[in-house]
Every structure is written in structure tokens, then in C-alpha cells.
Amino acid sequence: MKVTIYDVAKKAGVSIATVSKVINHTGNMREETRKKVMNVIEDMNYQPSIMASALSGKGTETLGLLVPDISNPFFSMIARTIEDHAHEHGMSVIMCSTDEDPEREKKYLDVLQRKQVDGFIVASSFHEKKLLRKLVEHDVPLVMLAYDDASLDVSKISVDDLKGGYKAADHLVSLGHRQIAVIAEHTNSSKLRILGFQERLESQGITLKEENIYRTTASTLNGKACFDKIFQRKDHGLPTAIFACNDLLAIGVIQGAMEKRMSIPDDLAIIGFDNTILATTTVPGLTTIAQPIEEMGKKVVEVLIEEIKEDVSVNQRVLFNPELIVRGTT
Amino acid sequence: MKVTIYDVAKKAGVSIATVSKVINHTGNMREETRKKVMNVIEDMNYQPSIMASALSGKGTETLGLLVPDISNPFFSMIARTIEDHAHEHGMSVIMCSTDEDPEREKKYLDVLQRKQVDGFIVASSFHEKKLLRKLVEHDVPLVMLAYDDASLDVSKISVDDLKGGYKAADHLVSLGHRQIAVIAEHTNSSKLRILGFQERLESQGITLKEENIYRTTASTLNGKACFDKIFQRKDHGLPTAIFACNDLLAIGVIQGAMEKRMSIPDDLAIIGFDNTILATTTVPGLTTIAQPIEEMGKKVVEVLIEEIKEDVSVNQRVLFNPELIVRGTT
DNA sequence: TTGAAAGCGCTAACAG
DNA sequence: CTGTTAGCGCTTTCAA
């Protein structure tokens, strides 16, 4: 059926050990032998079984990627760069969308373990912390991406959310806005973004009242709903600008504003976060705080691979610099 | 270290064969024994190694998914539904973005084979046909999605592109448009969509000249570029409507039109194809022809699993019904 | 009803 | 420099 190491060995007139050695570039041997074997390998189109080598001690050369939802543009962009860099290191990646559902989280973690993936990347959120903790205790390589949770003792790669908040605030303030509303998620990231935003506002003598912070989950629909809520309150000065903690939410706001025939950015300025493809497809384009997704993806893979190879958690925390991308909504 | 079938067997006072049987629900045995073993499995939190069972004959319970680019919303949506349905059948999926690059195609196909994935899903495009053909010859389960290439003798799941063209044409014509331009990709799907579109137009006495069909690759930038090309030609009647063969292109057109301060849909009507998330985030929303992504994803997985289980290619061709989704651009 | 034993394809000492 | 051999964890006859 399929050609195995035995077939190659036999045809090359050597032992399987020798074949194994040339495949793995281990041990020494006469250049002549190595060439002979190489040729046979080519001839027979021999492809070593990763299953077998994994079973006998080596890794599976595959990574598990857990994200809330791969169909969300932010995560699919992340997945793409991770996939690319993983493959540069000879690793494949199995994707898993958790939907932030503990059941699914558990199920996926389970399967990935049974498949003996060499390492895990957990992005953005994870509820079953204990399961993660158990993994870490068992020395399973695991790195968190865009999810800076102090309660987990592992390496973390993320954008500097606080600074992102700063930049959003600075931009809006420099444009003269003083009445600002915020729409956020319930995540850690959002909290930090708000914190930075708030700090910066206050340093310029502007206070952001708690009642002007709206919390929801990421979707355009929810963004629009928040917009509606904000503008139906007529009790006090309406905001001239909105900071949405991600692009999806920001787009919901754009839609709400358009529907109300408000002019953007004159009647209302909007700034998002992430810089996904969605920020480029609206008209006007969405001003947003960009996460350096490409670099972040590269870094997670590097750190994870290192932990897999070195067999030890370097346990580092890397914060990337967010960048303001000005488009038409401000 | 990790608990193996031997550990369980020993603790339960039975042989590994027995343990194997209870895991796989094969063979008969006293209910008592089975319970005893089950308990030990629970107690020790035993997780059978998929590697090992794969090596000894069973499958790897993983699928390989090849798409041009997982970060493209259309593919990430597809990936999501495939992931979901695969997991319902106990399968994981390894994602691979080919970038339509033959090198990458080959490399990925290679790795996936060495990983002994149980089956392949190839979506939308693939240049190295011979490699695919070789797989099929070796009876490797393989199903094509949204890629209806007659030269490959495998099962195919896709939307009825011809019909999609019909629907787009009917809609535009019913709105009174007679001068229409088309922006397409170089793919088979696009060809069919154009064909259907054209046929329908002609049946209503409208001719679509070849010079009004613009071909490019999918991106908003290219869409915009085509728009510009179309509207800089002043030699003859300008179109009042544009049919773009996918949402990305359509959005480029929207951007171009907005920039020229044209009113949509009054000055120019636009219709896309795919109904990705992008169609919902523009203002006005993009009228488009929807592919039933969820159903298609479900179907590919079903067909693929069937071929894996039955060990025979059913070699069917399933066409799904496209649906017109009217939003603000028409 | 249960178990012994022969693989599956490869790696890694250890010998020669 | 090269080969022998004992696993890796599980499935699957075949006996008992």
C-alpha cells in the first residue's frame, strides 16, 4: 500500500535505522550511503508518517488554536498569520471556535490533547480557566494571544490596550471633542482600553462618566443598539464622539448614525479598535486603533515554538504598540 | 507520565484488549466488567491516544481544509461551518491557506498526507490539478466546495452559479436597468455567473457586450479600480447598474461611487455575490446573491464523511440554490 | 467472556 | 559507519 521506511530500507539495501537517520539528519554516515538512501526516497516518493514518529517520541507538529469565532474578521486575520508562521516552522494548525461556550472549550481542549498537539494558542477569551491551568501544570506549552489575564501563569502576547485607549482619547480630544461616549465589551481588553481612554481624558480635564460607558458583546447589531440607547437619552448633552472598543461595534454606530441622517464625522465622530478589513469597507472609512496583527501572530508562534523546543515556559509578556489609523469617521 | 491503556488495564485487573473493547464499544463482555473498566477510565481520567489508534489502523479523525485565504470573510465563514459540522462527527480540521500559490498547494497537500488526514476539502480554487488527481487515484477522500471543475472526478458541492447570474439579472432588469456592467474574477464560478446573467439579459432583449465585462481578482481595491475604468469611458452610455461577482468587488464599486459623490442606488445600482458579513456593514447595505454557506458547509462535511466511512466516492454533484438578498444598493 | 500476541511505522539506544 | 532491537499506545485476530 503506502511506502514505509521498510520499503525504502530494503530497496536501498540498508537498515531502517539508517533510513531514519538520513530523514532526521541525525548521526553520521558515509556521504555515499546517505545519497543512495536519498535517491530511493525520491524514487519511491516516500513520505514519513508523522503519526508513527509522533508515537515514538517526537512531536505531532501541530498546534491547536482556540479562538471565540474564526468567522469573525479579527480572528480570521489572526488565524491567517498564525497559520503562516506555524508552517514556516513546519507546524500545522487545527482551528477551534469556542463561541465562548465552556462546553465547547472543554470538548476542544480534550480532543486537542488526545491528538497530542505540541502546543496551544488561546486567543482573546477563555472561560474554563481551571482547564487551562491544569494544562500549564502538566507543562503543556500554551501561549495566550490578545488575552492578558494575570491569573494565568503563561506567556502572553497582546497589544498595549491601555495605550490604545490613550491614543483614541488623544485623537478625539485633539479634534475638540469633550462629550464622548464609550461602547465596550465585557472583556479584560475592553476594560484596559476604557481605563486608558478615561485616564487620558481626565488628564485633559474631561470626565467620562460611568453612565456614558455602554457594555455589550461584539456585533454590529449590538453596536447599533447602543447607539440608539445613547441618542434616545435627551436628559443631557449628547456626545459628539463615540469610542467603540472594536470595529464591529463601531460599524453598528455608523449604521445607526446614517439611519438618523447624521453627518459623519461632523455630527458624530467615531473611532473603532482592531483595524480589521471591516474598517476599510465602510464609507467613510473607519478611523480605528490598529493592532499589529501580523507581528503579534509572528510573535506568538515564535514564543510557543520556543517553549515547545526548550521544554520550558519562558513566561514572558509582550505588549505591542497600537497605532492610530485615521480614516473618514473622525 | 500520561495514563495509557496499560495503566487502566492493570488497575481494572483486565487485559488491554478488554479495555480497548469497552472504549470502542466492540465485542461482547459481561456488563460487570465493562462497568468496572469504565469506572477506572473515569477515575484515572484516561484519554485514548488518537495517534496510537491511528497508527494501528483507525483514522486520524482530522480533515484538511484548503482555501485560498482564511482571512477572506467568505472563506472564514465557510471554515466556521465546516469546523462545526466536522466536530459533530468527531473530526478536527487543519486549515491551510494556499494563496493560490502552486508551491503552497503542494507543500500543504504533502503535510496533510504525512499527517494522514482522513479526507480533504478543497474550496474555491486549486491550480495543481494533477496533485489532486493523484490523490483521487489513490482513493483519498476528497470533496470540492464552491469549485465546480469538470476535469476533476470527485464530489462537488457548490452554489448554482448560473442561477445566481439569473437572479442578479432579473433583479436589475425588474428595476429598469438596461445599461449594465459586470465585474468578475477569472474563476469558473465567475464565468458561470456571467453566463447566467448574460443569458437572462438577452432573453429580455438586452445585450451585454463583452467590453462591458471587466475581469480582475477579488479585492476592494480592484473593485474600485474597475469602477474607475468604467466611468472614465465617456464614449457611450454609462451603466446605471453594476453586477460584481463577489462582495469584495462590489464594495470597491460602492467606494468608487461614493467618492464620485454618486447617489446609490439612484445614480448607480450595485449588486454583489456571496452575502458575506461585508454586505451587512456598508451603508447602504449591499444587495447581493447569497450562497447558503451554512448548508453548503454541512453538506460537504456529510459527503466527505460518507466517503471516508464507506470507503468509496459517491461522486455526486450538489448545487445549492442562491438567494437574492435585497438591501440598499438597488 | 476474556486475554495473548502480532503488528502499525518510526525513533533511539546499544552493539558490532 | 551501520544494523539490531526494544519500545511508543492501540487494534485486532485467534485461542482459551
Side-chain angles (χ1 to χ4, degrees):
Chain A
M1 191 71 263
K2 224 179 159 325
V3 23
T4 75
I5 198 171
Y6 286 96
D7 303 324
V8 176
K10 189 182 298 173
K11 187 156 178 190
V14 299
S15 75
I16 60 166
T18 303
V19 178
S20 177
K21 277 168 197 151
V22 354
I23 294 169
N24 300 295
H25 309 97
T26 66
N28 304 311
M29 72 185 28
R30 225 182 316 159
E31 186 54 26
E32 194 183 318
T33 321
R34 124 175 264 84
K35 278 213 171 132
K36 185 173 52 183
V37 174
M38 286 291 270
N39 281 334
V40 177
I41 288 181
E42 290 277 305
D43 280 5
M44 306 184 77
N45 187 29
Y46 166 59
Q47 299 181 306
S49 157
I50 295 183
M51 289 295 112
S53 78
L55 189 51
S56 43
K58 311 240 297 200
T60 50
E61 301 178 17
T62 116
L63 267 26
L65 171 63
L66 295 143
V67 298
D69 177 8
I70 191 85
S71 73
N72 172 316
F74 177 62
F75 298 120
S76 67
M77 288 170 81
I78 281 192
R80 178 54 145 98
T81 84
I82 289 180
E83 182 203 319
D84 281 357
H85 294 289
H87 271 273
E88 274 168 22
H89 294 269
M91 299 263 172
S92 311
V93 5
I94 293 182
M95 61 176 183
C96 305
S97 298
T98 64
D99 270 344
E100 311 227 9
D101 170 7
E103 293 279 321
R104 291 181 65 118
E105 292 178 348
K106 179 165 171 27
K107 202 172 138 207
Y108 275 120
L109 236 36
D110 240 63
V111 188
L112 292 177
Q113 275 187 278
R114 302 209 299 123
K115 293 220 163 118
Q116 276 153 252
V117 296
D118 295 336
F120 292 81
I121 295 177
V122 175
S124 188
S125 95
F126 208 88
H127 299 278
E128 291 287 34
K129 305 267 176 66
K130 18 177 178 147
L131 295 181
L132 254 29
R133 225 164 268 134
K134 201 177 290 174
L135 279 187
V136 178
E137 277 165 21
H138 289 22
D139 291 314
V140 177
L142 162 47
V143 179
M144 324 244 13
L145 176 61
Y147 183 26
D148 202 343
D149 185 322
S151 80
L152 262 357
D153 205 23
V154 298
S155 289
K156 295 158 197 140
I157 315 293
S158 55
V159 76
D160 190 334
D161 289 303
L162 204 68
K163 199 162 176 184
Y166 282 2
K167 294 204 171 179
D170 284 347
H171 180 58
L172 256 23
V173 171
S174 79
L175 257 27
H177 296 283
R178 313 212 102 228
Q179 283 288 344
I180 306 176
V182 173
I183 302 178
E185 289 184 86
H186 300 280
T187 62
N188 275 347
S189 301
S190 267
K191 279 176 200 145
L192 286 172
R193 289 170 196 177
I194 295 176
L195 200 64
F197 191 78
Q198 211 158 13
E199 254 179 39
R200 206 55 165 206
L201 245 39
E202 278 169 8
S203 80
Q204 323 228 3
I206 304 173
T207 53
L208 175 63
K209 289 187 224 143
E210 183 57 35
E211 66 195 56
N212 286 321
I213 301 177
Y214 296 75
R215 280 164 234 272
T216 181
T217 52
S219 79
T220 55
L221 251 37
N222 287 339
K224 189 151 175 288
C226 285
F227 168 88
D228 289 338
K229 224 183 288 173
I230 294 172
F231 281 88
Q232 78 193 14
R233 288 171 44 173
K234 314 223 158 169
D235 49 323
H236 53 84
L238 292 174
T240 60
I242 291 181
F243 170 38
C245 285
N246 63 246
D247 290 349
L248 239 25
L249 256 16
I251 282 168
V253 174
I254 294 181
Q255 293 176 333
M258 292 287 216
E259 205 167 85
K260 266 202 157 54
R261 310 213 154 277
M262 295 174 73
S263 157
I264 299 175
D266 300 331
D267 296 341
L268 183 70
I270 303 163
I271 182 168
F273 208 111
D274 288 347
N275 193 35
T276 55
I277 185 176
L278 300 177
T280 69
T281 57
T282 56
V283 182
L286 177 65
T287 292
T288 192
I289 304 293
Q291 300 205 38
I293 292 183
E294 165 65 29
E295 292 164 55
M296 288 167 63
K298 180 164 186 224
K299 190 66 183 182
V300 237
V301 173
E302 279 173 4
V303 173
L304 184 54
I305 300 265
E306 190 183 335
E307 303 204 344
I308 291 172
K309 294 243 164 85
E310 308 304 329
D311 200 32
V312 58
S313 172
V314 286
N315 216 311
Q316 52 184 303
R317 187 158 163 264
V318 184
L319 257 29
F320 279 85
N321 206 22
E323 197 187 338
L324 172 70
I325 307 283
V326 181
R327 295 204 178 86
T329 56
T330 57
Chain B
M1 190 70 266
K2 224 179 160 322
V3 21
T4 74
I5 199 172
Y6 286 96
D7 304 323
V8 176
K10 188 181 300 173
K11 188 155 177 191
V14 299
S15 76
I16 60 167
T18 304
V19 177
S20 177
K21 277 168 197 152
V22 354
I23 294 169
N24 300 296
H25 308 98
T26 66
N28 305 312
M29 74 183 34
R30 223 181 318 159
E31 185 55 23
E32 195 183 316
T33 321
R34 127 177 261 84
K35 277 212 172 134
K36 186 172 53 183
V37 174
M38 285 291 268
N39 283 332
V40 177
I41 288 181
E42 291 276 304
D43 280 4
M44 306 184 76
N45 188 27
Y46 166 60
Q47 298 182 306
S49 157
I50 295 183
M51 290 294 112
S53 76
L55 225 214
S56 41
K58 311 239 297 200
T60 50
E61 301 178 16
T62 115
L63 267 28
L65 171 63
L66 295 142
V67 298
D69 177 8
I70 190 84
S71 73
N72 172 316
F74 178 62
F75 298 119
S76 67
M77 288 170 81
I78 281 193
R80 178 53 145 98
T81 85
I82 289 180
E83 182 203 318
D84 281 357
H85 293 289
H87 270 273
E88 274 167 22
H89 293 267
M91 300 261 172
S92 311
V93 5
I94 293 182
M95 60 176 183
C96 305
S97 298
T98 64
D99 270 345
E100 312 226 9
D101 170 8
E103 294 279 321
R104 291 180 65 116
E105 291 178 349
K106 179 165 171 26
K107 203 173 138 207
Y108 275 120
L109 237 37
D110 240 64
V111 188
L112 292 177
Q113 276 188 277
R114 302 208 301 123
K115 292 220 163 115
Q116 276 152 251
V117 295
D118 295 336
F120 292 80
I121 295 177
V122 175
S124 189
S125 95
F126 208 88
H127 299 278
E128 291 288 35
K129 305 267 176 67
K130 19 178 174 142
L131 295 181
L132 252 31
R133 225 163 267 134
K134 200 177 291 174
L135 279 188
V136 178
E137 278 166 19
H138 288 20
D139 291 314
V140 177
L142 162 46
V143 178
M144 324 242 15
L145 176 60
Y147 183 26
D148 202 342
D149 185 323
S151 81
L152 262 356
D153 204 22
V154 298
S155 289
K156 294 158 199 142
I157 315 295
S158 55
V159 76
D160 189 335
D161 289 303
L162 203 68
K163 199 161 177 185
Y166 282 1
K167 294 204 171 181
D170 284 347
H171 180 58
L172 256 22
V173 170
S174 78
L175 257 26
H177 296 283
R178 312 212 104 230
Q179 283 287 344
I180 305 177
V182 172
I183 302 179
E185 290 185 84
H186 301 279
T187 62
N188 275 347
S189 300
S190 267
K191 278 176 200 146
L192 286 172
R193 289 169 196 178
I194 295 176
L195 200 63
F197 191 78
Q198 212 158 12
E199 253 179 38
R200 206 57 166 205
L201 245 38
E202 278 168 10
S203 81
Q204 324 232 0
I206 303 173
T207 52
L208 174 63
K209 289 188 223 143
E210 184 56 35
E211 66 196 57
N212 285 322
I213 301 178
Y214 296 75
R215 280 165 234 272
T216 180
T217 52
S219 79
T220 54
L221 251 37
N222 287 339
K224 189 154 175 291
C226 285
F227 168 88
D228 290 338
K229 223 183 287 173
I230 294 171
F231 280 88
Q232 77 191 14
R233 288 171 44 175
K234 316 222 157 174
D235 50 324
H236 54 83
L238 292 174
T240 61
I242 292 182
F243 170 38
C245 284
N246 64 246
D247 290 349
L248 239 24
L249 256 17
I251 282 169
V253 173
I254 295 181
Q255 292 177 334
M258 292 288 215
E259 205 168 86
K260 266 203 157 55
R261 311 214 153 277
M262 294 174 75
S263 157
I264 300 173
D266 300 333
D267 297 342
L268 182 70
I270 303 163
I271 183 167
F273 208 112
D274 288 348
N275 193 35
T276 55
I277 185 175
L278 300 178
T280 69
T281 58
T282 56
V283 181
L286 177 66
T287 291
T288 192
I289 304 293
Q291 301 204 38
I293 292 183
E294 165 65 27
E295 292 163 55
M296 288 168 65
K298 182 166 185 219
K299 191 67 182 179
V300 238
V301 173
E302 279 172 6
V303 173
L304 183 55
I305 301 265
E306 190 183 335
E307 303 204 345
I308 291 171
K309 293 243 164 85
E310 309 304 327
D311 200 33
V312 59
S313 173
V314 285
N315 216 312
Q316 53 185 304
R317 187 158 163 264
V318 184
L319 293 184
F320 279 85
N321 205 24
E323 196 187 339
L324 172 70
I325 307 283
V326 181
R327 294 203 179 86
T329 56
T330 57

